[in-house]
Amino acid sequence: MSNTKNTEESQDSQESQDSREGQDSQRARTSRTPRKRTAPRKRPENDSDTTENTTERKKPKPMQVLRQAREQLAELTGMEAESVSSFEQTSEGWTLEVEVLELERVPDTMSLMASYQVELDPDGDLTGYRRVRRYERGRADGRK
């Protein structure tokens, strides 16, 4: 019986405390001073300039571009890039020549390799690729 009495008393005290807290928070909300209204912020007149400046500041480094190109080419072709034989920045972005293992054979010197020309935009996103030659791994280029 005493346990029940103690529980009822604690519930009553908790309820009275909750109602006092609710009244205090209500007073705090009504006593606030209204905020001043401010004019909306103006946007820059030329949004394209700010976009270009942001892009220029976040220009990817050559090694980042190289890694991205290898990953993107592998995703598209399903073949892992073994090496990059040329890498050049152009006015349109980047151009790479990537060596890929197309067909694995035994012995390894008879495996078929391919060179892909890969084009990327200035941000390092792949815009196009094409196979420019196919050769056996063990063969050297002919002299011209």
Side-chain angles (χ1 to χ4, degrees), residues 49-67:
D49 287 346
T50 57
T51 305
E52 289 174 17
N53 291 341
T54 305
T55 305
E56 288 175 7
R57 282 182 281 163
K58 294 183 180 180
K59 190 175 177 181
K61 294 183 179 183
M63 284 304 295
Q64 291 173 319
V65 171
L66 203 137
R67 287 185 188 108

Side-chain angles (χ1 to χ4, degrees), residues 66 70 73 80-86 96-101 113-116 135 137:
L66 203 137
R70 290 178 65 154
L73 183 66
E80 290 294 317
E82 290 208 350
S83 65
V84 176
S85 56
S86 78
L96 292 82
E97 194 159 311
V98 181
E99 307 303 315
V100 173
L101 174 64
M113 301 291 293
S115 292
Y116 282 85
Y135 59 96
R137 185 189 296 269

Side-chain angles (χ1 to χ4, degrees), residues 8-79:
E8 288 173 1
E9 288 173 4
S10 65
Q11 285 177 351
D12 290 340
S13 65
Q14 181 67 35
E15 288 173 3
S16 64
Q17 187 178 359
D18 288 345
S19 66
R20 274 184 257 130
E21 287 175 0
Q23 290 171 353
D24 291 344
S25 66
Q26 188 175 6
R27 275 189 224 120
R29 274 186 258 139
T30 57
S31 65
R32 289 185 186 158
T33 58
R35 294 171 64 179
K36 288 185 179 180
R37 292 189 180 196
T38 58
R41 291 178 25 187
K42 289 184 179 178
R43 289 185 171 205
E45 290 180 20
N46 193 348
D47 282 342
S48 63
D49 287 346
T50 57
T51 305
E52 289 174 17
N53 291 341
T54 305
T55 305
E56 288 175 7
R57 282 182 281 163
K58 294 183 180 180
K59 190 175 177 181
K61 294 183 179 183
M63 284 304 295
Q64 291 173 319
V65 171
L66 203 137
R67 287 185 188 108
Q68 276 183 293
R70 290 178 65 154
E71 289 171 7
Q72 291 176 59
L73 183 66
E75 187 176 339
L76 289 170
T77 63
M79 299 176 279

